[in-house]
Amino acid sequence: MRTKWLALGLAVLFAAVVAGCGGSSGGADVIKIGQAVALTGDSSMWGQSEKNAVEMEIAKINAKGGVLGKKLQLIAYDTRADATEAVNVTKRLVGDKVVAIIGPGQSGVAIAMTSVTEPAKVPFIATTATNPKVTMDDKTGKVRAYAFRTCFIDPFQGTVAAQFAVKDLKAKTAAIIYDVGSDYSAWLGKYFIEEFQKQGGKIVGNEAFRSGELDFRAILGKVKGSNPDVLFIPTMQKEAALVMKQAADLGIKAKFLGGDGWGSPDLVTLGGSAVEGSYFVNLASLDDPDIQTFIKEYKEKYKSDPIMPNPVMAIDGLYAVIDAIQKTNSTEPAKIAEQLAKTKDLPVLSGKLTIDPKTHDPLNKPAVIQEVKGGKFIFKAKFVTQ
Amino acid sequence: MFIQTLVTGLAIGGIYALMAVGYSLVFSILNFSNFAYGSIIMLGAYIGYYVLMHMGVPLALSVLISIVGAAMLCFANERLAYSTLRKRNASSLYFMISAMGTSIFLENLVYATIGSRFYAFPEILTQQNVSFGGVSLGLLDVFAIVFSAVAIYGLHYFLQKSKTGIAIRAASYDMQVCQLNGVNVNKVIGWVFLLAGALAGISGMFLGMKYMVYPTMGWITNKAYIAAVIGGLGSLPGAVVGGLILGVLETFVSAYVSSVVRDVFSFSLLVILLLVLPTGLFGKFLEEKV
């Protein structure tokens, strides 16, 4: 008898909880913006900064009266930068009836998410997912209708890095160390090789490692033997710092070069003196004069620097979504997606955003080359897509 | 290149050995894999990093504080997560589940309180190299090898000569008989966890100095686990040998085959070895364990 009552009680409680959820999510006076972002795990540093930035911006917009007379509500879920987890998170966001999703920051995660967003007809705007396959379906060769991004793509980034290596660093030979478990890393390495060879350079080493690797001395021993002018390391800052540290220990003389994955102050903290004089391609820079107001606000609110470049790319995405809502005067995800593809000369944090309707990639997005000098990232050169 | 690879492999293997000994110690008494050990190593590294960087404690003292801190955490881990199960005579499967839970709990606790950032120790030892005959080895590696050897020998001496050590060895044969002979098993188990924790503190400091400090760094104990199994679970000399073999094998595979297939080799070795020698190299199956 007692168990019966307990079961009944639990059922009532459960029903109340479910009803409660239904009640709170059914409000029509808010516009829900989803965010698929890595809040835990190795990429969480950028993810948390992304979430903070979007939260801060939404609070500002709401204080000014919101969009279409409605308040914006952010629903951010943790992807842990993991493809499987991201698919679950995206399903939840679709279920929550968000109008669009900001993020993710990782290419592999974004590609996995398209399996949910395309059939559900909910657009997402990736922040730093630079792999071409994020917005282009390579099976059909067509653009994915609900996938967008605010960052440049890897072929461009790889090209920029290779051209910089040949023209500015006067490199004739190069070696690559890449993460075989990351689409970002593997493809960026590939694009670098293509352009470097096109420029007349020679690839003397191409070494792979698995995600989570800590000790690179065995493969670096091989690299040392081939004595390259440039060592291209298209990885995240953690692996890059370890590779450079261990390369310096082994006495490798090559110049180190990397991609936007390096763009975090951690590169210097972790790599110490070994990262001095290295170069990398980035999406945005802390010393960019256009974003100083944002950086000041962020610092005041969160007592730390935003971890570049993700927060800037996320806010650009938010602006693009708001613009699409205003232009279509609708909160219908499919209509927003249609409008996103037509985004033209929209003032955003990183400058002006124009989305190419053929690829859903931004046009004329500048890439900056930064040098690590005195423990700081110094602006070195700027390239613009054609 | 061959000698260089061998030396690098031994340096990596030294740290595996240290962790594997800690693993084996707990296994020999309670007969379960303490999966929370990796998290204790991680916390040991955080403690050492904190006192060194934020309290201005000198390096040698911060290593000591890390050892004491990790030992206490490991002890608390046993008292909170395992002793109740022990009193209820739970099977080792439940110990393992409890250990996994503790590990996930501790990792996420660090995420939630300290955050997910990576921290690096200052470059005190890492930038210096020792060269002999064309082979270069970081000073930190030399230090790690020597320190690991001293710690493992110290442990061995303690287990052989001290009264507590004898009690631990006795308990590893048969806990119940040991109890009947008037040994306070609770106290013995406490000691085992303190000792394993001390080794975790040393490993954590070396891993942190060599690589970096971050919440998931404890995952490297997977390797220590393999090393312990290769050497024979519960056998301390086995753990040392297993650790060295694994470190050298991995480095050679990375250098001569590819870093990508390294873990394929490590785990294949484990499977093949278990097929041939089910109790590992030094395992004597419930005979002389410690």
Side-chain angles (χ1 to χ4, degrees):
Chain A
M1 199 60 191
R2 239 174 70 195
T3 34
K4 228 180 201 171
W5 281 113
L6 188 68
L8 190 67
L10 279 176
V12 169
L13 192 69
F14 181 70
V17 169
V18 170
C21 289
S24 68
S25 64
D29 50 339
V30 291
I31 300 175
K32 288 183 203 157
I33 309 273
Q35 192 175 23
V37 65
L39 298 176
T40 57
D42 285 355
S43 300
S44 56
M45 194 171 49
W46 290 283
Q48 286 171 358
S49 194
E50 242 174 80
K51 182 173 170 252
N52 286 346
V54 172
E55 242 166 25
M56 184 175 94
E57 216 58 30
I58 283 185
K60 263 166 59 187
I61 293 164
N62 282 343
K64 283 187 209 149
V67 181
L68 300 183
K70 293 175 183 176
K71 295 261 189 275
L72 295 180
Q73 185 196 349
L74 183 71
I75 303 180
Y77 291 137
D78 181 15
T79 64
R80 298 204 303 244
D82 174 81
T84 321
E85 193 63 27
V87 168
N88 293 335
V89 159
T90 314
K91 282 181 187 156
R92 268 178 82 189
L93 286 171
V94 169
D96 287 344
K97 302 222 175 326
V98 298
V99 298
I101 299 166
I102 314 286
Q106 301 78 22
S107 296
V109 170
I111 293 167
M113 270 174 58
T114 59
S115 67
V116 180
T117 53
E118 292 295 302
K121 297 192 176 16
V122 174
F124 74 84
I125 304 193
T127 51
T128 55
T130 42
N131 190 295
K133 287 194 274 179
V134 170
T135 56
M136 298 296 284
D137 188 342
D138 54 342
K139 280 192 201 107
T140 60
K142 280 190 189 144
V143 66
R144 300 187 207 269
Y146 300 94
F148 300 87
R149 69 175 119 216
T150 52
C151 55
F152 55 59
I153 56 172
D154 287 338
F156 173 63
Q157 186 173 188
T159 309
V160 166
Q163 287 181 359
F164 177 76
V166 173
K167 289 181 183 146
D168 296 57
L169 300 179
K170 311 270 176 254
K172 292 196 170 51
T173 54
I176 295 106
I177 291 187
Y178 70 96
D179 180 349
V180 76
S182 144
D183 281 342
Y184 162 77
S185 184
W187 286 84
L188 187 51
K190 198 177 120 319
Y191 296 123
F192 175 86
I193 293 176
E194 280 171 9
E195 182 66 20
F196 193 75
Q197 284 169 335
K198 216 192 268 172
Q199 297 283 331
K202 198 173 161 230
I203 303 293
V204 292
N206 189 12
E207 302 292 335
F209 65 85
R210 271 195 51 228
S211 310
E213 181 62 89
L214 290 172
D215 212 292
F216 302 90
R217 281 174 297 176
I219 46 180
L220 282 168
K222 273 202 261 184
V223 170
K224 193 185 179 186
S226 61
N227 196 24
D229 295 332
V230 159
L231 178 59
F232 186 57
I233 316 163
T235 63
M236 290 292 125
Q237 90 291 7
K238 173 182 148 217
E239 287 86 6
L242 283 173
V243 167
M244 286 188 265
K245 222 169 165 176
Q246 291 165 21
D249 283 352
L250 287 173
I252 289 175
K253 296 277 177 286
K255 283 237 159 54
F256 303 126
L257 186 64
D260 63 314
W262 286 23
S264 130
D266 270 13
L267 186 79
V268 179
T269 349
L270 299 176
S273 57
V275 300
E276 275 293 301
S278 61
Y279 301 91
F280 65 97
V281 187
N282 208 350
L283 291 148
S285 140
L286 263 183
D287 23 83
D288 185 342
D290 298 342
I291 59 169
Q292 291 314 309
T293 333
F294 160 71
I295 291 171
K296 204 175 136 249
E297 282 172 0
Y298 187 100
K299 263 183 157 166
E300 271 168 19
K301 181 144 195 213
Y302 299 107
K303 311 279 174 259
S304 68
D305 275 332
I307 309 294
M308 287 306 197
N310 294 50
V312 171
M313 296 292 131
I315 289 182
D316 282 7
L318 177 69
Y319 283 156
V321 170
I322 291 172
D323 176 64
I325 295 174
Q326 282 168 336
K327 287 224 169 94
T328 53
N329 197 16
S330 151
T331 52
E332 185 68 40
K335 279 191 189 153
I336 292 172
E338 226 170 274
Q339 180 60 38
L340 277 174
K342 295 181 203 152
T343 305
K344 199 163 182 253
D345 290 329
L346 174 72
V348 290
L349 205 50
S350 69
K352 278 198 170 142
L353 182 70
T354 300
I355 296 215
D356 183 350
K358 279 189 265 28
T359 58
H360 289 184
D361 299 328
L363 286 172
N364 304 319
K365 193 95 200 168
V368 290
I369 299 261
Q370 291 185 300
E371 183 186 0
V372 186
K373 212 172 182 180
K376 289 206 166 67
F377 297 158
I378 310 289
F379 176 82
K380 184 80 186 169
K382 200 165 192 167
F383 288 76
V384 174
T385 14
Q386 298 305 313
Chain B
M1 182 163 154
F2 179 85
I3 307 274
Q4 173 73 61
T5 311
L6 183 69
V7 171
T8 308
L10 285 174
I12 296 170
I15 296 187
Y16 287 170
L18 202 58
M19 292 189 290
V21 169
Y23 238 117
S24 272
L25 205 56
V26 172
F27 187 91
S28 71
I29 299 281
L30 292 178
N31 227 5
F32 82 101
S33 284
N34 184 13
F35 288 120
Y37 198 57
S39 300
I40 304 287
I41 289 178
M42 178 263 296
L43 290 173
Y46 271 98
I47 293 171
Y49 179 83
Y50 184 81
V51 295
L52 182 76
M53 301 300 286
H54 297 285
M55 293 169 72
V57 170
L59 182 68
L61 190 61
S62 64
V63 173
L64 195 71
I65 293 175
S66 162
I67 291 173
V68 174
M72 274 160 30
L73 284 170
C74 203
F75 182 78
N77 175 18
E78 196 277 329
R79 286 295 181 254
L80 294 173
Y82 310 137
S83 68
T84 325
L85 290 173
R86 203 150 43 75
K87 280 176 197 135
R88 290 180 183 169
N89 282 326
S91 83
S92 57
L93 178 69
Y94 293 101
F95 281 85
M96 253 181 321
I97 293 168
S98 181
M100 277 181 215
T102 310
S103 166
I104 295 166
F105 166 77
L106 290 175
E107 231 169 60
N108 283 289
L109 190 70
V110 172
Y111 271 129
T113 53
I114 303 170
S116 56
R117 293 195 74 138
F118 306 106
Y119 297 96
F121 279 90
E123 302 171 307
I124 309 169
L125 293 156
T126 46
Q127 284 299 305
Q128 291 162 39
N129 283 303
V130 189
S131 282
F132 46 94
V135 175
S136 77
L137 187 64
L139 193 59
L140 182 68
D141 285 325
V142 178
F143 202 65
I145 292 172
V146 173
F147 207 90
S148 306
V150 170
I152 292 170
Y153 183 77
L155 177 69
H156 179 73
Y157 190 82
F158 176 80
L159 288 176
Q160 294 298 328
K161 304 286 175 199
S162 75
K163 213 170 168 183
T164 315
I166 294 166
I168 291 174
R169 285 192 295 138
S172 80
Y173 283 113
D174 194 323
M175 200 133 64
Q176 255 138 15
V177 173
C178 193
Q179 208 163 6
L180 287 175
N181 281 294
V183 174
N184 183 347
V185 173
N186 232 358
K187 214 168 142 191
V188 167
I189 289 171
W191 267 102
V192 165
F193 275 85
L194 277 175
L195 289 171
L199 293 180
I202 303 171
S203 321
M205 278 304 269
F206 281 131
L207 285 174
M209 277 194 260
K210 208 164 144 62
Y211 307 118
M212 52 186 79
V213 181
Y214 58 101
T216 46
M217 66 184 286
W219 284 102
I220 199 172
T221 42
N222 282 345
K223 294 299 171 56
Y225 183 60
I226 304 175
V229 175
I230 290 173
L233 267 172
S235 153
L236 296 195
V240 174
V241 173
L244 293 177
I245 290 178
L246 191 66
V248 171
L249 176 89
E250 283 192 346
T251 314
F252 271 94
V253 171
S254 298
Y256 290 96
V257 189
S258 164
S259 171
V260 179
V261 295
R262 195 194 57 199
D263 285 1
V264 176
F265 272 76
S266 313
F267 283 94
S268 304
L269 172 80
L270 180 72
V271 172
I272 293 167
L273 197 100
L274 287 179
L275 288 176
V276 184
L277 290 168
T279 53
L281 291 174
F282 290 73
K284 284 180 191 161
F285 211 72
L286 289 181
E287 279 176 62
E288 207 182 343
K289 270 204 295 197
V290 166

